Amino acid sequence: MSIPSRTALIDHLVRTRIAGDVATPRENNLDHYRKLANGDRHYWFGLEFGDRWTDEQDVLAVMAERCGVSDDLSHRAGQDTIDPELTVAALDRMAAVLRKAAAGRQRVLFATGHPGGLLDVHRATAAALRAAGCEIVVIPDGLTADEGYVFQFADVAVFERGATLWHTHSPAPMAAILDGLAREGRPLPDLVVADHGWAGCAAQRGLDAVGYADSNDPALFLAEAEGTLQVAVPLDDHVRSPRFYDPLTAYLLAAAGLAPRQA
């Protein structure tokens, strides 16, 4: 993968709608913020917020600051945005975490609840960390959660049901992995790189974790604001082609010092 400059990456993010004017509508964003504030655990992603985020306007303020959605309270429907500058700034913060993991040859676990969009981003990052000397955590066999199975595909933990990889926000698959490692007497990961409830569950259990999150998924941004999650990268997590994420991955790995050497 060629490595884009910061400016070129921002242009690419906007052009492919990974950031900028994204496909997720304003009303969907606000609906999810409201449900999280009202205590709907589906939107908590395995995190525990107590009564700290019971006002949807407070949730919106964090999302405007960390994701770049409009902070206009009167804007109730139509187009909403992700600030590409915030996306790249978060990638830089994630790169610093990955650089530290590589330097310490840490044990790293990768997982995704969005296999249609982010699987190859995680796979390429895992391959780069393995090449740098990290141990990519192998999950236990036979794990189940949410009436399906948890297994690894290309070094990335995923949720499968009916011979199909599923999109899931649930924290249960990550809980199954961490509980399974404990049962086998194996060490927990030093770092979790994930998204959705996989990242939220790991962070809530006190593990160092970083993750990707869409504009309608506020939980990880709130966790980052509280210091529970190390980094939340704002992006549209399922655009038209998974290849659109390749320049983002190349930029991330280069910033982390993990890009393969050019011949």
Side-chain angles (χ1 to χ4, degrees), residues 91-142:
L91 288 171
D92 288 337
R93 296 196 303 276
M94 183 182 281
V97 174
L98 298 179
R99 184 184 291 271
K100 178 182 176 183
R105 300 199 169 188
Q106 293 181 352
R107 297 183 305 278
V108 187
L109 172 64
F110 288 85
T112 186
H114 235 305
L118 299 179
L119 178 61
D120 206 47
V121 176
H122 290 302
R123 179 208 59 78
T125 308
L129 283 177
R130 175 181 280 112
C134 288
E135 175 188 345
I136 306 305
V137 174
V138 176
I139 71 171
D141 288 331

Side-chain angles (χ1 to χ4, degrees), residues 141-165:
D141 288 331
L143 297 179
T144 61
D146 294 335
E147 301 180 343
Y149 298 93
V150 186
F151 66 96
Q152 255 169 327
F153 181 76
D155 287 329
V156 184
V158 292
F159 178 69
E160 184 266 348
R161 187 190 296 167
T164 301
L165 302 188

Side-chain angles (χ1 to χ4, degrees), residues 167-206:
H167 169 215
T168 177
H169 289 186
S170 174
M174 177 58 74
I177 293 172
L178 299 180
D179 292 344
L181 291 171
R183 282 195 304 272
E184 293 185 357
R186 294 167 54 195
L188 295 178
D190 299 309
L191 175 67
V192 173
V193 182
D195 48 68
H196 287 179
W198 307 77
C201 176
Q204 184 61 42
R205 292 203 182 192

Side-chain angles (χ1 to χ4, degrees), residues 25-63:
R26 176 68 166 186
E27 50 268 43
N28 185 257
N29 285 341
L30 295 181
D31 179 61
H32 287 198
Y33 304 167
R34 183 181 310 111
K35 288 177 177 176
L36 181 146
N38 288 340
D40 187 333
R41 294 298 183 107
H42 176 75
Y43 298 93
W44 286 23
F45 284 13
L47 292 150
E48 292 297 331
F49 293 122
D51 60 359
R52 298 188 298 279
W53 299 99
T54 57
D55 187 333
E56 66 181 279
Q57 293 186 13
D58 292 338
V59 178
L60 174 61
V62 171
M63 293 304 292

